[in-house]
Amino acid sequence: MGNRLKVNKSNSRYLVLTAVLGFFLMGCTSVFDKHVEWETVAPKSYPVILAIGYAPISVQKGASESSKMLMALKASKLDAYRELTEQVYGQKVEGGQSLASLVIENTHLNSSVQGVIRGAKVVKSYPVGNDTYATELELDFKLVNDIYLSTARPKRVKKVHYY
């Protein structure tokens, strides 16, 4: 005799349940057809943050005083950017201590700053005293938002139409 498929009550219930679920899932796809309208979101106010960077002139590498001054100018600008990055993204701080017989043997503390600053502008650069250069930067978050919108286009649901 040939092979026969044995069907018991639990198998038949499983087959019926699978068929019913498949039917409902196929039938529900038209219920979830929709069109979503999106709109961009603008904040109510935009802060402006300032940062000042400093650099000594005499320790800069250069053949003349004017080249050392230019290097200090660049270094103070980078220090101001570091300060802005710290204000925007925060500073990562790691530390630790080791003990032996309840006596501290070693203590260490590391910090770092990482991020991307777009849209900052130099407000002014000037000498401070005889051996230091300072640079002031300004970061207007209205400009940062405009730069962000031109690339990311953040959205929120404006309206949903169901069909």
Side-chain angles (χ1 to χ4, degrees), residues 2 15 19 31 50 63 71 87 94 104 109 113 127 135:
L15 291 173
V31 173
L50 301 171
M71 295 303 287
Q87 290 182 45
E94 295 179 28
I104 295 177
L109 185 64
V113 176
T135 300

Side-chain angles (χ1 to χ4, degrees), residues 61-143:
K61 295 180 180 178
S64 65
E65 283 300 312
S66 59
S67 65
K68 288 182 177 186
M69 186 181 74
L70 287 174
M71 295 303 287
L73 176 67
K74 290 180 180 184
S76 68
K77 184 177 177 183
L78 285 174
D79 189 44
Y81 269 104
R82 182 205 49 78
E83 176 70 27
L84 273 180
T85 307
E86 184 178 310
Q87 290 182 45
V88 172
Y89 294 100
Q91 188 175 63
K92 180 180 178 182
V93 178
E94 295 179 28
Q97 293 179 334
S98 61
L99 295 172
S101 299
L102 296 178
V103 176
I104 295 177
E105 296 219 337
N106 186 11
T107 300
H108 69 277
L109 185 64
N110 298 322
S111 70
S112 63
V113 176
Q114 184 176 353
V116 176
I117 298 294
R118 289 189 182 108
K121 88 177 172 180
V122 175
V123 176
K124 60 183 171 179
S125 294
Y126 52 92
V128 176
N130 293 330
D131 191 45
T132 305
Y133 223 89
T135 300
E136 295 182 16
L137 289 180
E138 175 183 272
L139 185 60
D140 184 356
F141 274 84
K142 170 72 172 116
L143 178 59

Side-chain angles (χ1 to χ4, degrees), residues 14-27:
Y14 176 73
L15 291 173
V16 170
L17 182 61
T18 304
V20 169
L21 282 176
F23 176 74
F24 278 120
L25 288 177
M26 288 180 1

